[in-house]
Amino acid sequence: MAGRLTLRPLRAADAEAFVAAARRSRWLHRPWLTAPCTAAAFGKHLDRFEAPGSYAFVAELGTSQQLVGALYLTNIVHGPFCSGYLSYCAFAPLQGQGHMKQALWQLVRIAFGDLGLHRIEANIQPGNAASIALVRGCGFVREGYSAAYLKIGGRWRDHERWALVRPARRGAARG
C-alpha cells in the first residue's frame, strides 16, 4: 500500500470524482450494488445522508486524493439498540489492495468512538466473496441469513448478516 489513506465525509464537491470512479467500477459492482453514475444520481445519493443517523464517507489515497471507495453508516439508532448499518463500495483500479480494509478500520473507530455505537451490521449477498472477506478480515461475525432482504437492481436478493460488536471495556458492567 503506497501512500496514506484518509477517510473523510462525502461532500458535494466530490461529485465529479465520485461519478467517474463509479462509472469506472460498474463491472466491479454488478450485481451487488448500483453506485450513482451521473451528477443527478450523485446529488440524490448525497441527499440520503442529510437525515439524522446517516453518514457517508469516502476513502482517498495519499496526496493524489484518488478515491479508493465509499463507506456508509445508516439507520443509526441510539438508546438501548445503539447500532447502525454498514455499506460500502470499492473503486477500480484500487480494489483488492487492502485499502478498503484500512478504510473500514477507520470507520469502525469512528462508529465505536465518536458515534458511540455498540454494534455495526453489514448485510451482504452470499456470492459476494470479496465483500465477505473484507468484513471477516475486520472481525465481523456471520450472524444469520435473510431471504429476499434487499431490492437491488430490481430484484429482491438474499443476504447474510455480518456484525461487529464493540469490545467490552475493562471494568464495564456486562448485561
Side-chain angles (χ1 to χ4, degrees):
M1 282 187 276
R4 179 180 165 91
L5 185 114
T6 303
L7 186 69
R8 62 164 177 78
L10 180 65
R11 54 186 182 236
D14 294 318
E16 186 176 337
F18 190 100
V19 166
R23 285 182 180 165
R24 192 172 54 244
S25 305
R26 282 185 208 176
W27 64 271
L28 179 64
H29 297 155
R30 278 192 191 116
W32 318 120
L33 62 94
T34 304
C37 290
T38 66
F42 177 82
K44 288 179 183 176
H45 181 70
L46 192 59
D47 287 347
R48 292 177 50 216
F49 302 100
E50 293 293 320
S54 295
Y55 299 88
F57 300 89
V58 288
E60 57 187 17
L61 191 57
T63 56
S64 73
Q65 296 180 327
Q66 187 174 6
L67 296 185
V68 168
L71 299 95
Y72 311 100
L73 282 173
T74 58
N75 299 318
I76 292 175
V77 177
H78 287 280
F81 192 50
C82 219
S83 183
Y85 291 96
L86 166 70
S87 58
Y88 47 83
C89 64
F91 293 133
L94 297 171
Q95 81 282 1
Q97 299 176 31
H99 303 304
M100 285 300 288
K101 185 174 183 179
Q102 187 180 354
L104 182 50
W105 275 121
Q106 288 184 33
L107 186 66
V108 165
R109 283 194 293 277
I110 291 168
F112 290 159
D114 298 344
L115 299 178
L117 297 183
H118 169 73
R119 182 177 190 279
I120 304 167
E121 182 176 315
N123 291 283
I124 304 168
Q125 293 172 63
N128 192 342
S131 189
I132 290 170
L134 173 62
V135 296
R136 182 182 281 138
C138 288
F140 283 66
V141 174
R142 185 180 185 271
E143 290 187 334
Y145 183 86
S146 299
Y149 183 70
L150 289 173
K151 194 172 194 177
I152 299 173
R155 288 186 42 219
W156 288 101
R157 300 184 187 262
D158 299 344
H159 283 70
E160 293 180 2
R161 281 187 321 280
W162 290 79
L164 182 65
V165 175
R166 180 183 184 165
R169 290 185 223 127
R170 281 188 193 173
R174 294 181 186 250

